[in-house]
Structure formats: structure tokens, C-alpha cells
Amino acid sequence: MNVHRVPGDSYNGLFLTQLSQPHIVVNQEVWDRIFANLPKEYFIPDLRIINLMMNA
């Protein structure tokens, strides 16, 4: 099995806090699938969950 690894920074746009960590590499096929199936306005962590936690 040939796994194509890419810098994790390629997917920083999914995260609310976009910290560069060039030493982290991820499986491109897995992360492309995750990215393709998330709503356009989705971020990690999910803002709805943060709001629920803040208001609990």
C-alpha cells in the first residue's frame, strides 16, 4: 500500500487556530476525504460545540 503523505499544514484552513507545524505529515487520501465531506463553514473545533460549552 502506497500512502501519499503531505504536510499537515496543507489542511490548516480547517482549524480555527492555524498553527504551522511543518514536522507533521498526514495521509493525503484520508484528509482529502474528510475535507470533501465537511460543510463549507465547518471548523475544528466546531463553533457550535464551543458555544454550547461556553454557555453550559
Side-chain angles (χ1 to χ4, degrees):
M1 179 177 191
N2 192 8
V3 176
H4 188 198
R5 300 226 177 248
V6 296
D9 287 351
S10 302
Y11 301 95
N12 273 352
L14 290 173
F15 296 87
L16 287 176
T17 305
Q18 299 179 11
L19 300 174
S20 178
Q21 297 187 15
H23 61 283
I24 295 178
V25 293
V26 297
N27 181 318
Q28 184 179 21
E29 182 180 345
V30 170
W31 278 92
D32 282 351
R33 190 176 309 151
I34 291 168
F35 185 75
N37 288 288
L38 290 173
K40 296 280 186 226
E41 63 280 349
Y42 186 84
F43 292 100
I44 301 170
D46 185 21
L47 289 174
R48 293 175 297 159
I49 299 301
I50 292 173
N51 287 334
L52 285 173
M53 292 170 51
M54 298 290 281
N55 294 317

